[in-house]
Amino acid sequence: MGQFCTKPGLLFVPAGVHGLTRALAVDLGEHHIRCNAIAPGWITSELSENYLAPHPDPPAARDALNGLRPLGRVGQPTDVGDLAVYLAGDRSSFLTGETVVLDGGRTAKLPTPSA
């Protein structure tokens, strides 16, 4: 990992959640129990605001964060709640074993390595 990953836990924990979600979906499916996970991106919160506060220009930093997402904004707590309600409801009754990335398209927009 060396120069590419200075905090391996940031890689291993999400991978563990993803694997556990899939394994539980398989093991519990026969009992009609679904298991899905939500992988949120940047969500506005007290923690995220505290992170931006010491920036020399917090509004500019916030605008830059918004610009990284195809939807042009960071997530709100209600975005996570709405997805959780959907996943828990009957309208997602055939969805299990999935990790839903809720990041406004940020990971879809990540740059590809240059040749």
Side-chain angles (χ1 to χ4, degrees):
M1 285 179 276
Q3 67 187 26
F4 299 108
C5 182
T6 59
K7 297 183 180 185
L10 295 177
L11 295 174
F12 300 139
V13 171
V17 169
H18 180 71
L20 179 63
T21 299
R22 293 173 57 92
L24 288 172
V26 170
D27 290 348
L28 300 175
E30 68 183 87
H31 303 290
H32 305 287
I33 297 172
R34 295 175 287 127
C35 184
N36 295 293
I38 299 172
W42 189 284
I43 303 297
T44 299
S45 66
E46 183 178 339
L47 178 66
S48 67
E49 290 303 308
N50 288 341
Y51 180 83
L52 291 175
H55 192 278
D57 187 354
R62 196 172 292 106
D63 288 344
L65 283 169
N66 289 337
L68 293 172
R69 285 146 189 82
L71 293 181
R73 68 177 182 87
V74 297
Q76 298 299 315
T78 54
D79 295 319
V80 179
D82 290 346
L83 179 56
V85 168
Y86 170 75
L87 291 173
D90 292 337
R91 291 186 175 212
S92 65
S93 65
F94 197 59
L95 181 64
T96 193
E98 297 299 324
T99 299
V100 181
V101 177
L102 185 66
D103 68 357
R106 173 67 180 125
T107 52
K109 188 179 176 181
L110 288 175
T112 56
S114 57

